[in-house]
């Protein structure tokens, strides 16, 4: 029988290490030290990645590596580290092996949106979106695109009405609407709305738990009124951003197709690489 004390100790060390990295990263972010935050967040990603590898080798059979790979990828993504791409693919693969199909689809869609929004990389974004579609088709997962712009405006209107005439039940409306969000799943059309509504729901639930005491009822309602106004602004900003994203995609698609074809023909080294960089710059300048 294998001695489990060594790997257990190693895992404990990893737990401590990445916790320190995360804490330091948050401190750097709070202080406005961007370079420090990026470095520490990336190091935290390395810690999660090492932990995932332990689990992946079967040293901790009751645990799954998928969540650790996902945490590592999220850290890499926040640090704008290129390791995020391969690590997200690893996470998706492990979720599939664990038969967590819906989670694999969700992560694929989330990654597609992240690469569009945060990296302006439509090529990788489409790759993840396509992966989600293929998984949905392969495993017969039906998706109803419920989180539309109209739905979100409906949430805004319903909660606003309740806050005026029946504030005690305003949070119940949010909870009821959130069930639709969780049941519907996500696709490339609704992931932007899913992201902001999930945060809205999570913050509301957290405050609800804080203000369980009836004495603090007024604080809860006042907080919700303020946060609801903030959510309305975020929704407006998201819609504007999506419109801009559509226009940017229209402009970039011809460039992406052209550059992908050229990149496939060239050996990306030396003179060829310099030629590619210059050509990319000239194409973007010409079309934009």
């Amino acid at each position: 029988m294998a001695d489990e004390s060594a790997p257990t100790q190693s895992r404990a060390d990893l737990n401590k290490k990445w916790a320190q990295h995360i804490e330091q990263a948050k401190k750097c972010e709070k202080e406005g030290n961007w370079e420090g935050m990026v470095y520490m967040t990336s190091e935290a990603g390395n810690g999660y990645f090492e932990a995932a590898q332990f689990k992946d080798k079967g040293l901790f059979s009751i645990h799954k590596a998928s969540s650790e790979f996902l945490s590592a990828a999220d850290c890499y993504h926040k640090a704008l580290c290129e390791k995020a791409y391969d690590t997200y693919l690893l996470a998706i693969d492990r979720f599939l092996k664990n038969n967590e199909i819906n989670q694999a689809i969700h992560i694929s869609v989330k990654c597609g949106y992240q690469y569009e929004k945060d990296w302006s990389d439509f090529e990788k974004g489409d790759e993840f979106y396509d992966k989600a579609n293929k998984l949905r088709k392969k495993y017969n997962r039906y998706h109803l695109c419920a989180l539309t712009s109209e739905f979100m405006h409906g949430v805004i209107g319903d909660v606003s009405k309740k806050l005026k005439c029946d504030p005690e039940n305003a949070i119940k409306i949010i909870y009821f609407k959130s069930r639709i969000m969780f049941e519907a799943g996500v696709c490339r059309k609704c992931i932007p709305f899913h992201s902001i509504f999930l945060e809205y729901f999570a913050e509301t639930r957290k405050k609800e738990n804080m203000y369980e005491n009836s004495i603090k009822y007024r604080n809860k309602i006042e907080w919700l009124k303020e946060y609801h106004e903030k959510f309305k602004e975020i929704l407006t900003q998201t819609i504007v951003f999506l419109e801009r994203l559509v226009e940017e995609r229209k402009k970039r698609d011809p460039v992406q197709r052209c550059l992908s074809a050229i990149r496939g023909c060239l050996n990306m080294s030396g003179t060829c690489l310099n030629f590619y960089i210059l050509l990319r710059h000239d194409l973007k300048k010409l079309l934009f």
Side-chain angles (χ1 to χ4, degrees):
M1 184 174 179
D3 181 12
E4 296 185 358
S5 60
T8 302
Q9 181 62 39
S10 297
R11 183 167 183 265
D13 290 342
L14 286 171
N15 278 331
K16 183 178 180 180
K17 183 169 71 173
W18 82 60
Q20 289 173 341
H21 290 325
I22 289 292
E23 184 179 352
Q24 189 63 32
K26 288 179 179 178
K27 181 181 178 183
C28 291
E29 188 173 22
K30 186 177 181 180
E31 294 172 351
N33 181 359
W34 171 248
E35 290 184 1
M37 191 281 287
V38 168
Y39 174 75
M40 296 311 302
T41 305
S42 182
E43 285 298 296
N46 291 338
Y48 282 120
F49 193 89
E50 290 178 50
Q53 287 183 314
F54 269 120
K55 295 179 182 180
D56 217 27
K57 293 174 182 176
L59 296 175
F60 303 95
S61 57
I62 60 172
H63 298 288
K64 297 174 181 176
S66 50
S67 60
E68 305 291 6
F69 278 126
L70 181 59
S71 295
D74 285 339
C75 284
Y76 291 144
H77 171 74
K78 188 174 182 180
L80 296 180
C81 174
E82 291 187 358
K83 291 180 182 178
Y85 172 75
D86 288 330
T87 311
Y88 274 127
L89 290 177
L90 277 173
I92 293 168
D93 177 69
R94 296 312 185 270
F95 276 113
L96 289 173
K97 287 182 177 179
N98 293 332
N99 202 33
E100 297 177 84
I101 311 302
N102 290 338
Q103 183 71 348
I105 293 172
H106 182 93
I107 295 168
S108 299
V109 176
K110 185 189 83 166
C111 289
Y113 182 52
Q114 285 181 170
Y115 274 97
E116 273 190 328
K117 179 171 69 75
D118 300 332
W119 297 70
S120 296
D121 191 332
F122 296 111
E123 194 172 355
K124 280 193 175 70
D126 286 342
E127 179 184 335
F128 280 108
Y129 285 140
D130 291 343
K131 190 175 189 67
N133 290 335
K134 289 176 182 177
L135 289 174
R136 198 173 277 121
K137 184 176 181 180
K138 180 178 179 179
Y139 293 100
N140 296 316
R141 292 299 197 270
Y142 176 74
H143 171 68
L144 175 63
C145 199
L147 298 186
T148 61
S149 174
E150 292 76 13
F151 173 84
M152 298 301 289
H153 279 111
V155 172
I156 294 288
D158 291 344
V159 175
S160 296
K161 288 177 184 177
K162 282 292 180 182
L163 284 172
K164 287 181 180 179
C165 62
D166 187 15
E168 186 175 354
N169 289 313
I171 288 180
K172 291 182 180 179
I173 293 291
I174 299 172
Y175 285 3
F176 174 76
K177 297 288 186 180
S178 70
R179 285 162 54 188
I180 299 174
M181 171 183 67
F182 289 119
E183 291 171 1
V186 291
C187 68
R188 67 187 303 163
K189 292 181 180 178
C190 58
I191 183 63
F193 299 125
H194 182 280
S195 299
I196 62 172
F197 191 27
L198 182 62
E199 183 177 352
Y200 179 57
F201 168 76
E203 284 297 315
T204 303
R205 188 172 184 179
K206 185 166 67 176
K207 290 295 181 180
E208 172 76 355
N209 293 334
M210 285 177 60
Y211 295 137
E212 287 180 335
N213 193 319
S214 59
I215 298 175
K216 297 182 178 179
Y217 167 77
R218 184 180 297 276
N219 291 338
K220 178 178 69 176
I221 297 302
E222 291 304 315
W223 174 86
L224 182 56
K225 286 179 179 179
E226 290 181 13
Y227 191 66
H228 187 61
E229 289 300 314
K230 180 181 177 182
F231 178 61
K232 287 163 68 174
E233 292 178 10
I234 292 173
L235 176 60
T236 301
Q237 292 168 5
T238 300
I239 292 172
V240 171
F241 169 75
L242 291 176
E243 291 172 351
R244 190 168 69 246
L245 199 64
V246 169
E247 291 303 314
E248 187 177 350
R249 179 178 278 277
K250 286 179 181 177
K251 291 178 181 179
R252 289 199 177 205
D253 274 352
V255 178
Q256 291 287 353
R257 286 196 296 270
C258 181
L259 292 176
S260 295
I262 295 170
R263 192 165 55 233
C265 295
L266 293 176
N267 177 12
M268 300 301 284
S269 61
T271 305
C272 290
L273 178 58
N274 292 333
F275 169 72
Y276 170 77
I277 293 171
L278 289 172
L279 182 60
R280 181 176 63 181
H281 177 268
D282 290 342
L283 272 172
K284 289 185 176 182
K285 187 176 180 181
L286 177 65
L287 292 178
F288 299 152

